[in-house]
Amino acid sequence: MEHYCTSTTQLASAQLYPVIFRQRRKEKKVLAACVGSELHEMGARMTADLFEYNGWDSIYLGAGADISYVLKQIQDHRPDLAAFSVSMPQYLVQCQEMVDRLKACYPDLKIAVGGNAFQSLSKIQGNWRIDVYARDARELVRWADDTFADEI
């Protein structure tokens, strides 16, 4: 049932693409992905789509993005923001390792995390080298627009 619902949601979302991609561009890029073996990609997909609708260009890596692939895409595309989605708590360690590695390689890159798995953590901002934890995509887009307001 979960896969059916995901497919139905993806089909419905795709119908909005003509509207999404007609929005005024902001010359900003977001990279969105699920970490490691995480396969629940709907949150990351919706986040990328909402950024596109809000005028950002998105690089959507989808599910199962390992660190070497993410690093290569960041090198190739130079996003302003990297956003990672984690639904299952067992992938939180991989996400924290990804964040640490990205901050070591790209200290100025803004990093956001979100997803249901983070609800089990009490103080993510204090323990992780992230710029923002967002409870939903709308909150993240607002934060990004505010953060980059001088550049948009």
Side-chain angles (χ1 to χ4, degrees):
M1 182 59 77
E2 177 185 354
H3 297 282
Y4 171 77
C5 291
T6 297
S7 294
T8 302
T9 303
Q10 288 172 328
L11 179 62
S13 295
Q15 303 304 307
L16 299 172
Y17 285 170
V19 174
I20 289 172
F21 293 107
R22 276 198 311 256
Q23 302 306 307
R24 183 183 68 79
R25 309 319 295 162
K26 294 183 176 175
E27 305 303 323
K28 289 290 168 197
K29 288 183 197 172
V30 61
L31 177 140
C34 299
V35 174
S37 300
E38 177 69 67
L39 298 177
H40 295 89
E41 64 182 325
M42 202 64 235
R45 173 78 265 173
M46 291 172 75
T47 298
D49 289 350
L50 193 56
F51 268 96
E52 285 282 351
Y53 181 72
N54 202 50
W56 288 59
D57 293 325
S58 67
I59 301 103
Y60 175 65
L61 303 184
D66 69 22
I67 186 64
S68 61
Y69 181 61
V70 172
L71 284 168
K72 174 79 169 102
Q73 297 307 308
I74 289 174
Q75 179 184 359
D76 290 351
H77 297 284
R78 299 291 181 184
D80 301 285
L81 171 65
F84 299 105
S85 176
V86 183
S87 294
M88 306 299 289
Q90 63 263 33
Y91 302 119
L92 287 169
V93 171
Q94 286 177 295
C95 186
Q96 188 169 18
E97 290 169 355
M98 172 104 55
V99 167
D100 289 343
R101 182 89 179 269
L102 291 176
K103 280 296 188 181
C105 294
Y106 299 98
D108 295 329
L109 176 66
K110 300 288 187 208
I111 298 178
V113 296
N116 287 335
F118 291 98
Q119 293 178 5
S120 65
L121 300 178
S122 59
K123 292 192 173 191
I124 183 151
Q125 278 113 340
N127 299 329
W128 290 48
R129 296 174 59 193
I130 59 167
D131 295 284
V132 65
Y133 159 69
R135 287 176 179 72
D136 63 53
R138 291 173 303 199
E139 179 183 320
L140 180 56
V141 169
R142 281 191 299 271
W143 176 88
D145 279 345
D146 290 345
T147 299
F148 294 98
D150 294 339
E151 301 172 28
I152 295 177

